[in-house]
Every structure is written in C-alpha cells, then in structure tokens.
Amino acid sequence: MKIKITRNFGLKMAAFIFSIFLWLIVINISDPVDSVTYTNIPVSFINEEVVTNKGKTYDVVGDAQPVRVTVSGTRSLISRISSSNIVATADLSQMEANTYLVPINAEVRGGEGRATTGLTAEVTPRNLQIKIEDITKNTFPISVSTTNVVPRDGYVVGEVTANPEKIEIRGTESTIRNIQQVVARVTAAGLSEDTVLDAELVLIDGNGNSMDQSQLTNNLGERGLSVNVQMLRKKSVPLHFSVSGEPAEGFLYTDLTTEPSQIEICGTREALDAVSAIEVPGSEINISGLRGRKEITMDIQPYLPEGVKLVEETAKNVVVNVMIEQEGVKTIELPVGAIQINNLREDLKLSFESEMDIELRFTGREEKLAVLDIRYAASIDLKNYKTPGTYEVPVIIETPEDVELTKNPTVKIILTEKDGG
C-alpha cells in the first residue's frame, strides 16, 4: 500500500498543485477581484473622551474634508455595497502626541452594522490633523435672514424676531473668536398671515462664510430655533404737497412735481384703510422770495401716519421740484413719448436717442398760460428722412392764440430698418 501511494509521487504532487491553480483561475474568471473608489465619505470621531476628559476640546486644522475610500474584493461582494455601507472614523486614542495627527480608518459594514468579511478598505488621506484648545463659551445675538421668505402678492414681510433672540455657543477659543454673526435662516413661500417658522442656525465667520458646527455645542435644546414672522399688507398712495409764502414780485408759483409721485407703504389692514395719500404741510416748503425753480430733497418718513412704514426704507427720499415763473411765462416739460410721429416710412422704425423730457418755455397772457395744455400739440414730420441714421429733427408745437414758444425745440431720433426689411 505504501508503494502505491508513493509511486509517481512527483507527478501526483504536480497534478495536485495544477488542479489548485486551475481552480483559482476558474474562480477568478467567474468572480474576479475588483476595486471601487467612493468619494465624499464623511469622517466621524471616536474616543473623544481622550481629549474632553481633560477639560479641553478639539477642532480640525483647516476645513473638515470628506475622504476617498477604495474598496477591494470579489466583484460579487462589491456589487452588494454602496457608499452608505462605508464608515470612516478618526480614533483620537491613536493620536500622535507631538503632531496631533489622527489616523483615519475605514471599513465596510453590512445591514446590521457589522464589518463585511472578504473586503478591504483603503483611505485617502490616511490621517487628519487636529488642534487641542481650552473650551470657552460666548453669548451671541441672533439675527434673522428672510431672503428666502416669499410673501403672497399684496403682502410684505414685517417685523421678524428669532426665538430665542440670543444663543450661548461653546467650543474652542479660536473658533468662538471667529464667529462674527449668528443667523436664523428661514425659507417659506406664499405667506399672507403671521406665522412661526422653523429656522436653520448658521454661523458666519470673519470672511462672510458659513462655519462648520460639528465641534460646537449650544443651548438651544430640544425646542431648537424658530422665527416669528409678521406679514403686512402693502399699497401705493400719492404724495400731496402744499407750499407757503409768496415768490418775489413779478413771479408766480405755477406748479409742483415730485419724483416719485407715489410711494409704496405697508401696515395692517386697519392702518392702510385709513390712508389715501401722504400729506406734506405747506410749512415744509416755503417759496417766499423765490425767483425761479427750486429743487428740494425730502425724507418722506416723518410724514407717514402711525402704524405705517415704507415697503423699502431705501426709497425714503423724494425729489420735489417747485416751479416759479415770471409773470407771463410758463415752463412745461414734455415727455418724448407724447410726440406724435408723422410720415414715418413703413420699412423703418424709430427710437429716441434720449428719453429725457424736453423743456418748453412759453410766454403770453396769464389766463391763457394757466390753461395751456400741450399733451397732444407736439409732433415731428419725417417725410424728408428716408434712410436709416441718427437725425436731429425740429419738434412742431401748436400753440393757441396769444401764446408763444420762446425757442423752437429739437429732438434726436434714430431710424433703423425693420427686421426682415
């Protein structure tokens, strides 16, 4: 029997080794070894008590960055996992004392949170650096960001307050010092009534960037952060100005115009219903002794009724033009859009080089000037303008009897060919 087993032993051993080799080839062909790299894998810290038990805290040097993990194993095993199965951890108990470098390890876990056998995971980068500092705290006021709150038509956002209005934040000294602003950010659309919105806590650093809060704690508790939002109605109302005093002898007060002529205000329904116009008393504009036009810039806010405010506070300034004319003289500003266009060729289109009003000065009897209306009295004749170009064209003004135009006006026009002409 011994002779049979040992007979041709070398050939038998070679056949055995060849069969194992052949088996490995077959297995590798049917289920080859492969590797897949997963990016943006977050890193969590473990064994933090190594630092915190000493009354200190830690923070990552630079911005906390996710890592790349390359998983290797048979193709059949790799096909069963995704990035959610990969867990990357930084173990503070393995931190190097001198450099504060913490190694990053990764493993592939199955559905029950256990490590999956047959797969290996390699992390890039292999470690991160932390800094260890004393724990400190500070109290910050909370401002509200409503840029993402969109009211319904006819409404505006009124007073907004954070709840709570301040917050205590704990963390490393350098991180706490870097906090420049604490913001409650809210998002909502179609609001038309007062409401309370859940808010996101955002910390802004000295460069205006959002800060990572993973190594910070606060006293918000389970209630979290919310914002009380007041919704106000809005409407446009005209401005009414009066004047006081008398101009110089031989001059007359003829008109007063404002830019803008209307403003948008907001308030409760009851407050807005009581306002039909904003009245500015004559004591604010004294024309005594004036011999010509006067331009005044006024802040309209002091004249708003109680409970009403501007929709846009930046729109508080109103430019008032007071027209003072010599007796027998009247100045009228004519919008170029009021000029009638005659004899424009059908294959040409017209635009004005400037949209500024044209100033017209008339003389005549006072009773005629008082009722002078040129809204439909201005025109230009283009019968002699037959090619594209820029032209200065006389404006024809029809004036009533006993009224004269002191200077014939012109307007610059641009003629171009119509599309497809």
Side-chain angles (χ1 to χ4, degrees), residues 2 28 54 87 148 166 180 228 241 248 319-320 364 374 377 420:
K2 182 177 180 181
N28 196 51
K54 298 178 181 179
V87 177
N148 293 324
K166 58 184 179 180
Q180 298 298 311
N228 302 317
F241 284 82
V319 178
V320 182
I374 62 165

Side-chain angles (χ1 to χ4, degrees), residues 8 51 81 153 173 203 250 264 286 297 301 321 340 351 366-367:
N8 299 320
V51 175
I81 67 170
D153 288 344
E173 290 181 340
L203 307 183
E264 276 199 323
N286 192 321
T297 300
Q301 290 182 110
N321 279 302
Q340 181 178 339
S351 61
E366 287 298 333
E367 60 269 23

Side-chain angles (χ1 to χ4, degrees), residues 17-282:
I17 294 174
F18 178 76
S19 64
I20 293 176
F21 180 72
L22 184 60
W23 177 79
L24 290 174
I25 291 176
V26 171
I27 291 298
N28 196 51
I29 291 174
S30 60
D31 193 10
V33 174
D34 201 354
S35 63
V36 177
T37 298
Y38 299 88
T39 59
N40 295 319
I41 303 299
V43 178
S44 58
F45 288 87
I46 59 175
N47 295 320
E48 297 170 295
E49 65 275 6
V50 171
V51 175
T52 57
N53 284 351
K54 298 178 181 179
K56 295 182 180 295
T57 188
Y58 65 93
D59 198 2
V60 178
V61 175
D63 295 331
Q65 299 290 341
V67 296
R68 299 193 311 273
V69 177
T70 300
V71 178
S72 300
T74 60
R75 186 171 295 173
S76 60
L77 287 177
I78 290 179
S79 65
R80 301 173 190 170
I81 67 170
S82 65
S83 60
S84 61
N85 297 107
I86 301 173
V87 177
T89 56
D91 189 347
L92 292 181
S93 66
Q94 300 180 23
M95 174 182 62
E96 294 183 10
N98 296 328
T99 62
Y100 297 119
L101 288 175
V102 183
I104 304 173
N105 299 305
E107 63 179 1
V108 183
R109 296 181 181 177
E112 298 179 356
R114 298 177 181 176
T116 302
T117 58
L119 294 173
T120 60
E122 184 176 347
V123 184
T124 306
R126 296 179 180 274
N127 52 53
L128 55 76
Q129 189 173 31
I130 66 170
K131 54 185 175 182
I132 297 177
E133 301 181 50
D134 291 331
I135 297 176
T136 188
K137 64 181 180 179
N138 199 0
T139 300
F140 299 88
I142 302 176
S143 58
V144 180
S145 170
T146 57
T147 54
N148 293 324
V149 176
V150 182
R152 282 179 54 186
D153 288 344
Y155 291 83
V156 295
V157 177
E159 184 179 1
V160 291
T161 55
N163 183 25
E165 295 183 347
K166 58 184 179 180
I167 185 175
E168 181 183 276
I169 302 177
R170 297 171 63 90
T172 63
E173 290 181 340
S174 60
T175 302
I176 297 300
R177 285 197 304 269
N178 199 26
I179 299 174
Q180 298 298 311
Q181 187 180 15
V182 178
V183 177
R185 182 180 294 166
V186 290
T187 300
L191 295 183
S192 60
E193 59 184 22
D194 297 352
T195 188
V196 178
L197 300 173
D198 291 333
E200 174 192 5
L201 178 66
V202 180
L203 307 183
I204 307 299
D205 65 18
N207 296 320
N209 300 317
S210 297
M211 299 176 60
D212 176 37
Q213 302 178 45
S214 59
Q215 304 304 317
L216 299 172
T217 59
N218 58 61
N219 64 340
L220 288 179
E222 294 183 359
R223 293 183 60 184
L225 180 62
S226 61
V227 171
N228 302 317
V229 182
Q230 179 191 38
M231 300 306 299
L232 301 174
R233 288 180 174 270
K234 67 177 181 178
K235 75 174 183 179
S236 294
V237 292
L239 299 173
H240 290 172
F241 284 82
S242 299
V243 298
S244 60
E246 295 292 336
E249 187 176 352
F251 290 82
L252 298 173
Y253 165 71
T254 59
D255 197 9
L256 182 148
T257 61
T258 65
E259 180 57 43
S261 59
Q262 298 191 66
I263 58 171
E264 276 199 323
I265 58 173
C266 60
T268 63
R269 181 197 297 268
E270 295 76 14
L272 291 188
D273 286 346
V275 182
S276 58
I278 304 300
E279 305 285 348
V280 180

